[in-house]
Structures are given as structure tokens and as C-alpha cells.
Amino acid sequence: MKRLPPAAWKSLLRAALAEDLGRSGDLTTRYFVPSTARLRGKVVAREAGVICGLDIAAAAFKACAPRARVRLLAKDGDRVKPGKAVMAVTGGRGLLTAERTALNFLQRLSGVASLTRRYADRVKGTRARVLDTRKTLPGWRALDKYAVACGGGVNHRMGLYDAVMVKDNHYFGRSLADGVARLRRERRGVPLIIEADTLRQAERAALLRPDVILLDNMTPRRLRAAVRRLRALAPRVKLEVSGGVRLETIRALAACGPDRISIGRLTHSAPALDLGLDLA
């Protein structure tokens, strides 16, 4: 995803603000900040990372302070250093009402983008590209995958509807070859991914010429042998690695020659990037 359409996040933003405001609204700001107050501040990075989610954060501020002025000082995908201001805001006390919701979106998405960037940097110089998975925050899939793209990663399938991925739990009462044949008759052009835990399974899958063979949980030694064998057997089939990939291990896996490395950790375990609103 190279851009994130507003339709992907507007309802999420409305729900997030409603969750925070409840029926009574922002009681703290109501009783402690004058209605005539005019605030000025900047959203600042407290640590290095990749920024993502600026449009959503800006919309949060404007939703709670309709006359606010928001100026973006960075763009999604930019690397930032500690102390870098990414957004300037000026407006009424509603800016304080929006602060936490705006930062929640910005910190979460920037965290995903930042972690993705770290993984992508580790595989530079190899043929491997870093991919995400469907292990996303429910309701946030488009946002999470956009953040991965901002961090230099590549999006895997969006859902169950746009590609077929046959895993071990799908071998139930139908042969692999029969299922592949039926898929190609009825859903021509749908990408086909077949998972394999062993070289023998991968060789059987290669004979069916899927788009991708996913080599799951293999050690670098076994992976290297599998890649060599599959390149000879089915040179046009893309080879993907998955299963417990970490920053400490991804370089060794990439050196084995796969085309893709998919990592659930990008979206299910990314720490939020530390950002804060500093008022002048």
C-alpha cells in the first residue's frame, strides 16, 4: 500500500474519539483550561525511527479543535531522529482533547514502520524482500500494512480473499494436486502459495508450479539446501521463508537466497515509537 485512503481510518478515528470522550467529554480540559485558551505546540520524536500516520493524527486534532491549524513537518516514511518535530499545531483547548488519540495512532503506526525498517535494512544486498502477514490488529489491517510499506517492507496478501495459501491444516480430504487443479479452473489468476515444512514437501509442491513456495521454520543449513534444490526444479517459483524470524537471524536466512521473508512480528509485536506533544 503506497497510500492510505481516508476511508480506511475515518471510522476508526471516530470510534477512538468516542471511546475517550464517552458521554461527559473531556472533563479535565473543561475544568482546568479556559475556553478562550490558544495553544501552540509541536509533536516531537523522542527516539529515532520512521514516522507514519501523520494524516490521521492531524485529523484527530482538527476533529476536536475544528479551527486548529496543523502543519506537517515530515511525511510518512521519513526517518526521524530524537528531537525532530514532525507536526506543528495551533488552536483551542480541543488540541488537548485530541492529544492522546492522535498520538495513539501515530505511535502505533510509526512503531510498525520503524520495526519494518530495521528488518529491511538487515537484508540489504541480498535478493530477499521483507513481507508482512495477516497477523494484524483486528480492524487495523489496512493501517498496519500501510505502515509496513512506509518502513520499506512489502505487503503480503491482504486477506483470505485475494490469494490462496495452502498450509498443513488444509490437507483435509482432498489431494493437493486436485485442489490446485480446481482452483486454476475456477479462479484463474489468483496467486497460489504452498507451505512446506520439509524439502520433500517442497519438492512435491514445486511440481505443481505454484506462484510461491513458503519454507516454514527451516534452519539456515536446511534452507540453503532447499533453495538450491528448488531453484533447479522450478526456477520461476518464488521462494519465501517464514517462522520465528528475528532481527538476529534474518541476515543468515536472507543469505540462503530466498526471494521473500515474511514476518508476523512486524505487526503483532512492534513497540510504539515514542512521540509527544510539546506545548510552547
Side-chain angles (χ1 to χ4, degrees), residues 24-117:
S24 302
D26 181 358
L27 297 176
T28 308
T29 298
R30 181 188 304 174
Y31 287 104
F32 287 89
V33 181
S35 61
T36 56
R38 188 71 175 170
L39 309 178
R40 183 186 304 272
K42 293 180 179 180
V43 176
V44 178
R46 310 275 197 242
E47 61 179 327
V50 176
I51 202 70
C52 183
L54 289 167
D55 285 348
I56 308 174
F61 284 120
K62 290 180 180 179
C64 296
R67 300 177 68 179
R69 294 178 59 189
V70 178
R71 184 162 56 98
L72 301 185
L73 305 177
K75 64 181 183 297
D76 286 352
D78 282 355
R79 294 184 190 241
V80 296
K81 296 180 179 180
K84 166 67 177 176
V86 299
M87 179 184 296
V89 293
T90 304
R93 64 182 183 176
L95 294 178
L96 293 175
T97 301
E99 176 183 2
R100 176 41 50 202
T101 297
L103 290 176
N104 281 348
F105 279 94
L106 194 58
Q107 289 181 285
R108 158 76 188 181
L109 295 177
S110 296
V112 172
S114 299
L115 184 60
T116 302
R117 185 73 268 169

